Amino acid sequence: MEEPPSVPARSYLRLCRPMFPFYLRQSIPLCYELKSYAVAFLILIVLCGNDTSAISAQSTEARLTELSQQFTEKLGPLVQQHCASCHGSDDPEAALDLSGYQQLSDVTAAHPVWEMILNRVEAAEMPPADSDIQFTPADQHALVQWITQLRQLEAERTAGDPGPVLVHRLSNVEFDNCIRDLTGVDIRPTRTFPVDPANVAGFDNSGESLTMSPALLNKYLAAARQVAEHMVFTPNGIEFAPHPVMADTDRDKYCVKRIVEFYLRQPIDYADYFYAAWLYQYREDRRTSLQEIADQQQLSGRYLQLIWDGLNEHASSVGPWQKLLALWQQLPAKNIVDRQSLQPTQFATSQAAVVAACRELSDYVISTRPQFEPHFDNLQAEGIHKGAQPFVLWKNQQYAANRRTADLSRQELTELDSNRPSEMESAVNSFCALFPDAFYISERGRDYLDTPKEKQEKGRLLSAGFHSMMGYFRDDRPLMELILDEAGQQELDELWRELDFFTAAPQRQYQGFLWFERTDSRTMRDAEFDFARPEDKAALTQPVIEQLAQVYLAKAERNAASPTALAAIADYFKEINSRIRWVETSRLAAEQVQLDSLLEFAHRATRQPRTDAAAESLRGFYRTLRDDEQLSHEEALQDTLVSVLMSPQFCYRLDLLSDSQKPRPLDDFELASRLSFFVWASGPDEELLQHAATGDLHQPDVLLAQTRRMLLDPRVRGLATEFMGNWLDFRRFEEHNSVDRDRFARFNDDLRLAMFEEPLRFFMDLVQKNESVLDLLYADRTFVNRELAQHYGMHDLHFEANEWVEVPLASDFGRGGVLPMAVFLTKNAPGLRTSPVKRGYWVVRRLLGERIPPPPPNVPELPADESLLGKLTLRETLASHRAHENCAGCHDRIDSIGLVFENYGPIGELRAVDLGGRPVDTQAEFPDGSQRSGVSELRDYIRQSREADFLGNFEKKLLSYALSRSLQLSDEPLLRRMREQSLLNEHRIQTLVETIVSSPQFLNKRGQQ
């Protein structure tokens, strides 16, 4: 085992402790391979019509003996005679070795291999036509009949068997998604994990591939620690930041950003309120209230009422109201823009005119308001720096308290209406009260330097404006008084409390004050101040702060400081002491709340019933860290969280564990996990866990209702990404780098991400609208963003930032459905040319489910660059390539399919000539002998000849993904039922999902026997 990482002040073994009992209970490592279970299926039964209950044990034994005898005496030797020369133990072709099948149990255990043999023999493709040894028609019929009977017998006998679903760790994506849903933050802690291997079905969500190693266990520990670094401690519990918050600057950034984002969300644009008032004035339904208009326009009803009152209560106005009301009265009346009397374009133009006029009103307010802003001079006191915290905060407070007041002292103001001074003063005051000089201040420079506001430095978010000291100042009284409702006021108050609580801002601000006063300022350089040093933690205690306040004030009094300055100093020490004490007492009171919050997190993380024993175990673990290891509360909570995330109950799918001797139904919590990991590739949410706790999730109507709810949830992206992405082999396209970017400069990271996103959005839309699975092939629509639209030549579309739109007639641009999506065309091209072989293989193998063996060794490669093919076209080069006798069998089935894509270049762009300047040709002779051209005729071919193959392949892949295992013969009856239900419901995808989640395979688990 690798050496564990260095973990200062923490115990590696302690944090991994939850994993040890789980490993010790296993008699063999979790990374064992799936062993043959065929010995359990030696008794074969023969189908008696559709009534399998009529088969007796005696007839089963007799039929078993008969089939075994047939294999031993005739069919086994027949296979060896005709196939061993190519598929023997020495260098078998297509990696198919048939030498090991000596008895019936060998065949039963390898049913996928014998299904392939059945298909090849039935299609007369084995032995190949050029072989000297051929089956007689009777031998071919006998072999096909024998394999078919064996498969049918086994499938019906074991129908509904849950199968060997191994306990396994969460895949990387499942781990990331669980962390995202638990924390609310997309941390993606598995970025540095090795890529998960896939099982034989192509999915990485099964125990066949998801093993644990010592090195990976170390990565799990690092990932858990990374999540803990995002923990945010609030008065109401724990939350998680989108970035690590271990350092003071990171904590500050998290809290400050949330406050500023709250500010930016608020509707404070005057033009919007003037427009809403205009809508109200000319409302058609006189019963419509101002609040309803405000709700429609997403504005503050409270402030809209004040605006409306202001516009209607100053009819005989003076001062700034005079012009504002004149502009308001000039707005066009509603009958001019009546939709009933104007053409749509005229209406839009007139409506725009109203909006523009409302903007003019807003501009007038914004340009006029600064004339009335009050001004406050710096406080001055001998021996005290004018940038001292008490003085800077006093000045901030004066401005904050007067955002809605007017300064009428300037001479130019008296000229507004010199004949009516008292009325003008009242008008200006009401104007300023309604239109503050700022609703909030999110940036503040060092105002004490008397630098004009427009020249003060920017980017100091929520800063108090100190020099060389951290500190925040809240200045948003107009927003609280005019805009916010009670809920908004409470939310903003809470955000500011969290800033102090989580960042310890008051303590750090006061320490900065002590440093400043002993360095930049001369105030505290005297010996009488030596008891209050910033490096001494005792300086933050209440007695020391109160003592310093007395000494500091005494010096100020000796230096003849003004009463205002003395009051500012006294208020400063009183306020900072109060804030420090609040942080201390609140943090202590919140410890139990935060621990309870972590216990709730653990309940959701472990996906198990809530029990007192589990809660007490975690509480005991936390208490041990505090008492025995002397960790702080925050450190102990972080380590407890790590312990939860290292627990097998979180990072393993224990709902799959066979914990009884016989098969049994999943309990409701196990069913919740199985359902959520299928539909979301993540753990169950609170609603699903609540149904599990209630015990009604296993009820069919509840289960189907929850399934439908989850399919409509945005988290169904997990199904799109993990199922479709792996099935159609584009899951890792975000890392695709084979395109020559010098030749294809337009292929940048944004276009690559857009290509990856297109099929995901298409599939999610398909699922959430419950459309037909066949739309994957035949739909005449797709989804594009700006980058993809430009790539596809859809130049008339217009986009907002990061917007995706549906294109309904995509065939006009050579698109529609998955076949011509750029992600698949680019993924299956070498970079400097197209590849009909890869594109054809992708269609035949991935979409239609046909098994294609790997190419033989020593086959010459085609030129990597299309422009270097010489006189031959790529089509002609492939024709000579197919002349190789070992290549023709497969290439005849895939090349023609790939050639229809030749009008799409190496990055999926439409083209008329190839990179060598030769006209492209999309004509091809298909495997059914027909001549076809282009993607549209490929769709026709699939619709006419291969649609059942596509549907059957989709159903198998979806079932394998849902069950987290490879399919077995016992799943055949379920697949038939899926086909029947799909046919009855127009192949709608939700029908397939609901059939799976209602099946015995999904609802039960195998026993240990």
Side-chain angles (χ1 to χ4, degrees), residues 664-679:
R664 71 162 177 85
L666 298 174
D667 65 37
D668 282 45
F669 279 91
E670 293 169 336
L671 182 55
S673 285
R674 172 164 271 194
L675 181 61
S676 66
F677 280 109
F678 169 31
V679 178

Side-chain angles (χ1 to χ4, degrees), residues 621-879:
F621 183 66
Y622 164 83
R623 183 47 56 192
T624 298
L625 298 177
R626 295 296 306 274
D627 297 341
D628 295 352
E629 302 201 24
Q630 297 298 302
L631 298 186
S632 69
H633 167 70
E634 289 82 0
E635 291 172 333
L637 276 187
Q638 288 167 349
D639 278 9
T640 303
L641 175 68
V642 171
S643 180
V644 170
L645 298 182
M646 289 299 295
S647 166
Q649 281 75 21
F650 170 71
C651 58
Y652 269 83
R653 290 285 307 278
L654 294 187
D655 54 288
L656 307 173
L657 180 65
S658 296
D659 53 2
S660 63
Q661 293 299 309
K662 297 180 179 180
R664 71 162 177 85
L666 298 174
D667 65 37
D668 282 45
F669 279 91
E670 293 169 336
L671 182 55
S673 285
R674 172 164 271 194
L675 181 61
S676 66
F677 280 109
F678 169 31
V679 178
W680 289 342
S682 182
D685 65 352
E686 190 60 40
E687 182 171 340
L688 203 56
L689 287 175
Q690 186 58 48
H691 279 287
T694 304
D696 63 1
L697 186 58
H698 65 281
Q699 297 176 10
D701 56 337
V702 176
L703 178 61
L704 292 181
Q706 286 299 302
T707 301
R708 291 163 187 157
R709 174 185 72 86
M710 295 170 69
L711 289 172
L712 295 176
D713 190 281
R715 281 170 286 188
V716 79
R717 181 183 175 89
L719 177 66
T721 306
E722 298 311 304
F723 166 66
M724 191 186 189
N726 284 297
W727 166 42
L728 296 184
D729 193 29
F730 69 96
R731 179 64 185 86
R732 316 233 172 268
F733 188 78
E734 293 168 296
E735 305 160 7
H736 185 75
N737 282 315
S738 67
V739 174
D740 187 322
R741 298 201 182 192
D742 291 332
R743 186 76 65 89
F744 299 100
R746 77 172 75 169
F747 187 81
N748 54 27
D749 291 346
D750 290 337
L751 179 58
R752 179 175 60 183
L753 290 175
M755 289 180 178
F756 175 76
E757 187 73 15
E758 181 186 11
L760 299 182
R761 288 183 178 265
F762 186 91
F763 187 77
M764 289 177 65
D765 182 73
L766 190 79
V767 170
Q768 298 192 323
K769 292 180 179 176
N770 197 19
E771 302 286 358
S772 170
V773 173
L774 293 173
D775 279 6
L776 287 167
L777 297 177
Y778 308 142
D780 190 14
R781 65 180 188 277
T782 192
F783 290 82
V784 298
N785 66 351
R786 181 182 288 109
E787 289 77 18
L788 203 56
Q790 291 297 313
H791 185 59
Y792 285 169
M794 303 173 180
H795 301 300
D796 294 334
L797 297 179
H798 301 284
F799 299 86
E800 300 293 336
N802 302 318
E803 182 185 11
W804 282 80
V805 300
E806 182 176 3
V807 181
L809 298 175
S811 58
D812 293 346
F813 305 93
R815 310 295 165 173
V818 302
L819 285 171
M821 285 185 180
V823 65
F824 306 119
L825 297 168
T826 306
K827 174 72 167 58
N828 295 293
L832 282 172
R833 64 169 172 84
T834 60
S835 176
V837 175
K838 289 185 176 182
R839 290 174 174 178
Y841 176 87
W842 178 81
V843 172
V844 172
R845 181 73 183 93
R846 293 287 176 171
L847 283 173
L848 304 182
E850 189 173 337
R851 286 188 175 89
I852 305 293
N858 304 320
V859 175
E861 292 286 339
L862 295 176
D865 190 335
E866 194 171 77
S867 63
L868 301 179
L869 290 174
K871 295 181 179 180
L872 294 179
T873 65
L874 186 57
R875 170 190 297 273
E876 294 166 338
T877 305
L878 284 173

